[in-house]
Amino acid sequence: MNSVNREWAFDFGPGQPMKGYIGVSPQLRYDEEVGYGFEGNGQVNGRSRRQQELSVGETHHAEEHLIHSFCIPIGVNFVVKVPDGTYRVIAQMGDLLADTLTVLKAGESKAVLPPIPTIAGQFRTVMFTVPVRGGKLVLRFSGAAPRINVLNVSSAEETLTIFLAGDSTVTDQPSIGYPNAGWGQMLPQLFKHDVVVDNHAESGRSSRSFIDEGRLESILEKMKAEDFLFIQFGHNDEKSDIPRGTEPFTTYKQYLKLYIDAARDQQARPVLVTPVHRRYFNEDGTLSDTHGDYIIAMKELAMEEDVPLIDLAAESKLLYEAAGIEGSKDYFMWSYPGEYMNHSGGVEDNTHFQERGALRLAELVIEGIIKLDLQPLRMYVR
């Protein structure tokens, strides 16, 4: 492990690792002093497809170990102790003899890649970039038939970053609430490794409380010239409590302008996102607008300040109405008792999304990026 250059190379599975790689056996549990290993309540198995393992020091065809040997991590995390920053992750997975399907997330729940399938004998190399806070890179493995053969991790501080400021409809929801998800949680998988999504959105926050709690300041400490700041607030600005509530055409616009000015002071690029709609229908099957003047006010501000605007309110309205009163439940946290173990009593939530809905909204954000021709983001869409 090279802590000076912030580069790590791991070779997973039984047997001797390839020269220059750190060996990771299925039994290796995370230890603070060692600085890497598996943790969690799932299970890790390992296999080697070589008929005869290399002996210690043997180098002939040593690279075959990268393919022949692998770990099968199910519902566990692989953790690497790293300094906070931005990291490029390159993973290789596959199996000579079996079809595989691996789901890889960062942290508790950040969807950094679409599910990764391979057929027997096929090996895929995938790449993504992820922010690390708290001194640990956490990669969570699951899927119907997961594999991990090789993992390379390196510092990537100059990567173009999209910072997200928003509320519970945007945030990375904790895994304990699965399948609850914010659209910002699903957004990273829709970009190539050239873009990192750093999601600072937090449940219950308004344009006002987000700033008052120092969350915008935390973003500014990391922001570089040419980065992006996507701003979606409204749900909690509508609340009547003093710490969060704002008025559409006065304080709401004033607080939003603070984000715009702060990003521009850093030579970064602000983008306003109208608040995604709640799922409330009128008797005639049309969606009821619960945001009202907040949407109008944000659009006015976008015009006044010449800021790009993604109208997620309008697009989500079309999405829900197309799905209908019953079909739109599939996007939200609606479930029957026993359907999800984390919500054993069932849920009827018309504000928060399950992963399917959050992904669809993230796709609508991507469509907005393409429509506005926000370069170079458009160029880096998967």
Side-chain angles (χ1 to χ4, degrees):
M1 192 158 32
N2 189 335
S3 59
V4 176
N5 295 328
R6 296 189 180 183
E7 295 181 0
W8 298 261
F10 299 99
D11 182 1
F12 290 79
Q16 293 297 316
M18 181 176 170
K19 184 177 180 181
Y21 284 73
I22 302 166
V24 180
S25 71
Q27 296 78 32
L28 182 66
R29 304 302 293 177
Y30 179 77
D31 179 88
E32 279 288 329
E33 292 200 10
V34 174
Y36 55 90
F38 292 106
E39 69 174 15
N41 296 323
Q43 65 182 55
V44 186
N45 297 302
R47 291 295 303 273
S48 174
R49 299 304 190 191
R50 280 184 63 87
Q51 304 231 335
Q52 181 177 1
E53 275 298 327
L54 300 172
S55 61
V56 176
E58 186 179 353
T59 59
H60 181 60
H61 295 311
E63 67 278 2
E64 291 182 9
H65 189 272
L66 298 178
I67 293 177
H68 291 183
S69 188
F70 53 82
C71 284
I72 308 171
I74 302 174
V76 297
N77 300 332
F78 181 68
V79 181
V80 187
K81 188 177 180 180
V82 300
D84 285 4
T86 301
Y87 291 88
R88 178 94 13 94
V89 179
I90 304 174
Q92 178 180 286
M93 48 201 68
D95 190 331
L96 285 169
L97 302 183
D99 296 349
T100 78
L101 179 62
T102 305
V103 176
L104 178 56
K105 295 183 178 181
E108 284 197 32
S109 54
K110 188 186 297 291
V112 290
L113 291 167
I116 306 151
T118 69
I119 60 174
Q122 178 189 22
F123 294 86
R124 289 187 60 186
T125 299
V126 295
M127 190 182 316
F128 61 92
T129 309
V130 65
V132 171
R133 302 182 216 138
K136 290 181 180 178
L137 171 64
V138 179
L139 301 176
R140 182 165 183 80
F141 290 87
S142 61
R147 302 287 189 273
I148 179 64
N149 305 64
V150 183
L151 198 66
N152 290 273
V153 179
S154 60
S155 179
E157 295 299 327
E158 297 307 310
T159 305
L160 178 67
T161 303
I162 301 176
F163 293 95
L164 302 181
D167 52 37
S168 59
T169 63
V170 186
T171 194
D172 292 354
Q173 295 286 356
S175 59
I176 194 171
Y178 176 85
N180 189 13
W183 63 256
Q185 179 177 333
M186 310 304 286
L187 190 64
Q189 66 182 300
L190 303 179
F191 284 104
K192 301 173 185 176
H193 66 274
D194 310 85
V195 171
V196 59
V197 177
D198 196 350
N199 192 356
H200 288 250
E202 192 70 25
S203 295
R205 272 52 181 191
S206 69
S207 64
R208 177 179 185 170
S209 63
F210 192 93
I211 289 176
D212 290 347
E213 293 174 3
R215 298 179 186 278
L216 176 58
E217 189 61 37
S218 178
I219 290 174
L220 298 177
E221 290 171 0
K222 304 174 180 68
M223 186 174 281
K224 309 180 302 298
E226 303 304 317
D227 284 343
F228 286 82
L229 175 60
F230 281 37
I231 309 146
Q232 185 213 274
F233 290 103
H235 286 79
N236 299 300
D237 286 78
E238 299 160 9
K239 305 289 174 65
S240 58
D241 57 286
I242 293 174
R244 295 186 294 177
T246 61
E247 293 298 324
F249 298 107
T250 55
T251 48
Y252 180 60
K253 289 175 73 172
Q254 289 163 12
Y255 275 104
L256 290 179
K257 189 174 183 304
L258 293 177
Y259 294 84
I260 294 168
D261 292 343
R264 285 175 168 169
D265 286 345
Q266 300 286 99
Q267 298 181 4
R269 291 169 279 188
V271 178
L272 291 171
V273 182
T274 54
V276 61
H277 273 298
R278 300 179 178 95
R279 183 192 161 275
Y280 290 108
F281 280 86
N282 301 310
E283 290 185 1
D284 63 358
T286 59
L287 197 72
S288 176
D289 179 3
T290 62
H291 296 309
D293 286 344
Y294 287 89
I295 296 172
I296 298 171
M298 182 180 279
K299 290 181 177 181
E300 283 186 359
L301 184 63
M303 292 286 290
E304 292 162 4
E305 296 295 321
D306 192 23
V307 174
L309 179 135
I310 295 174
D311 197 353
L312 197 55
E315 295 300 326
S316 60
K317 181 177 187 293
L318 293 173
L319 177 69
Y320 306 160
E321 289 179 346
I325 295 174
E326 289 301 315
S328 59
K329 291 178 181 178
D330 293 340
Y331 295 130
F332 285 83
M333 282 299 297
W334 271 72
S335 67
Y336 293 102
E339 193 170 355
Y340 294 105
M341 61 184 296
N342 295 325
H343 307 277
S344 58
V347 187
E348 294 183 5
D349 186 336
N350 291 310
T351 299
H352 301 101
F353 312 107
Q354 55 180 292
E355 284 193 343
R356 178 186 178 188
L359 176 57
R360 187 67 194 98
L361 288 164
E363 291 170 345
L364 292 176
V365 172
I366 292 292
E367 291 174 18
I369 289 170
I370 294 170
K371 188 180 298 184
L372 291 169
D373 194 24
L374 293 180
Q375 296 290 0
L377 290 184
R378 177 174 180 172
M379 182 170 61
Y380 297 141
V381 171
R382 284 190 188 274

